[in-house]
Amino acid sequence: VSGGRVSSELVHTVDGAATVAAWVGTGVPPGWDGVSLLPTLENVPHAAYREMMICCSSTPGNGDCARSSTAKLIDRPGALLDELYDLVLDPAETVNLLGDPAYATVESALRAEIDAFHAR
């Protein structure tokens, strides 16, 4: 694999196992959440791996996160404050946009993704 390249793909840690499985020729197991990143590593043109990803904590009370290529919602349980960030304008996640009317549609879409994930 040649180095020195940068990718803006939206990837997740579960893609590591899927990539190794594809690399050794076993393929990605059915139902596996990860996708093989071999096309990027081999510099082969490909469609986007995913438009959205969900990260759910295995620790009760830590909450969930929905992330697209442009925004991130951290959905915390109870009285803890949720967070919403515009990753294009604020990649360091310094300005919480939760409740900003300009981001209501983005927030709603990310919450719907978390709900859909839990409904599976």
Side-chain angles (χ1 to χ4, degrees):
V1 174
S2 62
R5 289 179 282 126
V6 175
S7 173
S8 60
E9 290 287 346
L10 188 57
V11 300
H12 194 284
T13 55
V14 297
D15 299 333
T19 302
V20 171
W23 190 14
V24 299
T26 61
V28 179
W32 189 266
D33 282 339
V35 297
S36 170
L37 306 177
L38 279 182
T40 296
L41 295 175
E42 295 173 343
N43 204 23
V44 174
H46 59 86
Y49 294 121
R50 61 175 55 86
E51 298 297 321
M52 177 81 58
M53 70 180 185
I54 305 294
C55 300
C56 297
S57 175
S58 59
T59 305
N62 278 356
D64 304 317
C65 172
R67 188 189 187 291
S68 69
S69 60
T70 60
K72 177 179 176 182
L73 173 70
I74 302 170
D75 182 34
R76 294 199 171 95
L80 297 175
L81 181 63
D82 293 348
E83 299 173 49
L84 176 67
Y85 299 103
D86 182 322
L87 300 175
V88 175
L89 299 177
D90 181 21
E93 301 175 15
T94 60
V95 179
N96 186 353
L97 299 169
L98 192 76
D100 184 326
Y103 288 87
T105 302
V106 172
E107 179 183 345
S108 178
L110 293 171
R111 285 192 190 282
E113 289 291 334
I114 290 173
D115 291 343
F117 179 84
H118 286 292
R120 290 200 272 170

